[in-house]
Amino acid sequence: MTLEHARKYSALALDLARQAAALGEVPVGAIVVQHGLVIGEGHNQPRARNDPTAHAEIMAIRAACAALGTDRLTGCEMWVTLEPCAMCAGAISHARIARLHYAASDPKGGAVEHGPRLFQQPTTLHKPEVYAGVGEEDAAALLRAFFSERR
């Protein structure tokens, strides 16, 4: 994968995060890519849907699985603007996503390199390759701005 592709996918996820912010949701966006094509996308929608599971990653996984007609996203990549929580990391594992790229770290709620470090647990079913930091500055700035407006 080229740096150009990484920036493109990171920018698409960030656009989705901005959509979430515009709706008053925590600004997190995610896409699922297969063979260079976006097959699923989502942004945080827990408040709008009255659904605590409507995180960006879950929405993108649901859309990608519907597009492919399967519950397995083998060979796919996910791009997300924030380190996934335990629920989303579990869904990524169960969907068999091959590679996870996330922009900003989440020391409080993340479960990939913080907290439970789900993919490092011996009982984790599937462990994707993990890449952190592409688009981190922009994603972190969007999150900071969102929360500073609410405090």
Side-chain angles (χ1 to χ4, degrees):
M1 165 156 322
T2 67
L3 185 55
E4 180 181 332
H5 284 107
R7 287 182 178 147
K8 171 186 157 186
Y9 298 137
S10 179
L12 289 172
L14 190 62
D15 286 344
L16 290 163
R18 288 186 185 108
Q19 289 178 31
L23 297 171
E25 302 278 2
V26 175
V28 179
I31 63 170
V32 176
V33 176
Q34 181 187 52
H35 307 301
L37 299 173
V38 176
I39 60 166
E41 59 181 44
H43 58 75
N44 271 4
Q45 301 177 57
R47 287 187 173 84
R49 292 179 176 257
N50 296 315
D51 179 358
T53 70
H55 287 197
E57 300 94 326
I58 302 296
M59 304 308 291
I61 288 170
R62 288 175 180 163
C65 287
L68 296 179
T70 182
D71 64 335
R72 302 280 194 241
L73 299 175
T74 306
C76 293
E77 299 182 59
M78 174 174 278
W79 295 79
V80 62
T81 58
L82 185 64
E83 178 182 354
C85 69
M87 174 183 69
C88 293
I92 290 164
S93 176
H94 281 276
R96 310 296 198 281
I97 290 175
R99 283 170 294 290
L100 168 67
H101 307 262
Y102 70 85
S105 292
D106 186 359
K108 288 174 89 175
V112 176
E113 293 186 1
H114 296 91
R117 294 181 167 96
L118 190 78
F119 301 137
Q120 296 176 23
Q121 300 306 314
T123 56
T124 298
L125 180 63
H126 168 78
K127 300 171 186 189
E129 296 173 26
V130 176
Y131 304 91
V134 176
E136 179 176 15
E137 208 171 288
D138 292 335
L142 181 61
L143 286 158
R144 278 192 303 272
F146 178 83
F147 285 113
S148 72
E149 289 176 11
R150 279 146 185 76
R151 291 185 181 135

Short mmCIF file of all heavy atoms in Angstrom, two decimals, residues 32-34 37-41 60 63-65 67-68 73 76:
data_model
loop_
_atom_site.label_atom_id
_atom_site.label_comp_id
_atom_site.label_asym_id
_atom_site.label_seq_id
_atom_site.Cartn_x
_atom_site.Cartn_y
_atom_site.Cartn_z
N VAL A 32 -14.45 0.26 5.36
CA VAL A 32 -13.91 -1.06 5.08
C VAL A 32 -13.56 -1.08 3.60
O VAL A 32 -14.38 -0.69 2.76
CB VAL A 32 -14.90 -2.19 5.43
CG1 VAL A 32 -14.34 -3.55 5.04
CG2 VAL A 32 -15.24 -2.16 6.92
N VAL A 33 -12.35 -1.53 3.31
CA VAL A 33 -11.83 -1.54 1.94
C VAL A 33 -11.50 -2.97 1.54
O VAL A 33 -10.89 -3.71 2.31
CB VAL A 33 -10.56 -0.66 1.85
CG1 VAL A 33 -9.95 -0.73 0.46
CG2 VAL A 33 -10.87 0.78 2.25
N GLN A 34 -11.91 -3.34 0.32
CA GLN A 34 -11.55 -4.64 -0.25
C GLN A 34 -11.01 -4.39 -1.66
O GLN A 34 -11.70 -3.77 -2.49
CB GLN A 34 -12.78 -5.57 -0.33
CG GLN A 34 -12.43 -6.93 -0.89
CD GLN A 34 -13.66 -7.77 -1.12
OE1 GLN A 34 -14.60 -7.35 -1.76
NE2 GLN A 34 -13.65 -8.98 -0.57
N LEU A 37 -11.35 -0.92 -3.06
CA LEU A 37 -12.68 -0.31 -3.15
C LEU A 37 -13.32 -0.23 -1.77
O LEU A 37 -13.27 -1.19 -1.00
CB LEU A 37 -13.59 -1.12 -4.06
CG LEU A 37 -13.15 -1.27 -5.51
CD1 LEU A 37 -14.07 -2.25 -6.24
CD2 LEU A 37 -13.14 0.08 -6.21
N VAL A 38 -13.94 0.90 -1.47
CA VAL A 38 -14.67 1.05 -0.22
C VAL A 38 -15.97 0.26 -0.34
O VAL A 38 -16.79 0.52 -1.23
CB VAL A 38 -14.96 2.53 0.09
CG1 VAL A 38 -15.80 2.66 1.35
CG2 VAL A 38 -13.66 3.31 0.23
N ILE A 39 -16.14 -0.72 0.54
CA ILE A 39 -17.35 -1.55 0.50
C ILE A 39 -18.25 -1.33 1.71
O ILE A 39 -19.36 -1.86 1.76
CB ILE A 39 -17.00 -3.05 0.37
CG1 ILE A 39 -16.16 -3.52 1.56
CG2 ILE A 39 -16.32 -3.33 -0.95
CD1 ILE A 39 -16.06 -5.03 1.68
N GLY A 40 -17.79 -0.55 2.67
CA GLY A 40 -18.60 -0.24 3.84
C GLY A 40 -18.09 1.01 4.50
O GLY A 40 -16.89 1.25 4.52
N GLU A 41 -18.99 1.80 5.00
CA GLU A 41 -18.59 3.00 5.73
C GLU A 41 -19.58 3.26 6.84
O GLU A 41 -20.71 2.77 6.81
CB GLU A 41 -18.49 4.20 4.80
CG GLU A 41 -19.75 4.58 4.08
CD GLU A 41 -19.56 5.78 3.16
OE1 GLU A 41 -18.54 5.85 2.44
OE2 GLU A 41 -20.45 6.64 3.17
N ALA A 60 -19.73 0.35 9.77
CA ALA A 60 -18.95 0.04 8.56
C ALA A 60 -18.90 -1.47 8.32
O ALA A 60 -19.02 -1.92 7.18
CB ALA A 60 -17.54 0.61 8.68
N ALA A 63 -22.30 -2.61 6.97
CA ALA A 63 -22.46 -2.22 5.56
C ALA A 63 -21.62 -3.11 4.65
O ALA A 63 -22.08 -3.54 3.58
CB ALA A 63 -22.10 -0.76 5.38
N ALA A 64 -20.39 -3.38 5.05
CA ALA A 64 -19.50 -4.22 4.23
C ALA A 64 -20.02 -5.65 4.14
O ALA A 64 -20.01 -6.26 3.06
CB ALA A 64 -18.08 -4.21 4.80
N CYS A 65 -20.49 -6.20 5.24
CA CYS A 65 -21.04 -7.56 5.23
C CYS A 65 -22.28 -7.63 4.35
O CYS A 65 -22.47 -8.60 3.60
CB CYS A 65 -21.35 -8.02 6.65
SG CYS A 65 -19.89 -8.40 7.64
N ALA A 67 -22.90 -5.68 1.79
CA ALA A 67 -22.45 -5.52 0.40
C ALA A 67 -21.91 -6.83 -0.17
O ALA A 67 -22.11 -7.14 -1.34
CB ALA A 67 -21.39 -4.43 0.31
N LEU A 68 -21.22 -7.60 0.68
CA LEU A 68 -20.63 -8.87 0.23
C LEU A 68 -21.55 -10.07 0.42
O LEU A 68 -21.28 -11.14 -0.12
CB LEU A 68 -19.31 -9.12 0.95
CG LEU A 68 -18.18 -8.12 0.70
CD1 LEU A 68 -16.94 -8.50 1.50
CD2 LEU A 68 -17.86 -8.02 -0.78
N LEU A 73 -15.17 -10.82 6.54
CA LEU A 73 -14.52 -9.78 5.75
C LEU A 73 -13.04 -10.12 5.56
O LEU A 73 -12.17 -9.25 5.63
CB LEU A 73 -14.71 -8.41 6.42
CG LEU A 73 -16.17 -7.97 6.55
CD1 LEU A 73 -16.28 -6.66 7.34
CD2 LEU A 73 -16.83 -7.85 5.19
N CYS A 76 -10.07 -7.99 3.95
CA CYS A 76 -10.45 -6.58 3.96
C CYS A 76 -9.62 -5.79 4.97
O CYS A 76 -9.03 -6.35 5.89
CB CYS A 76 -11.93 -6.43 4.30
SG CYS A 76 -13.04 -7.08 3.04
#
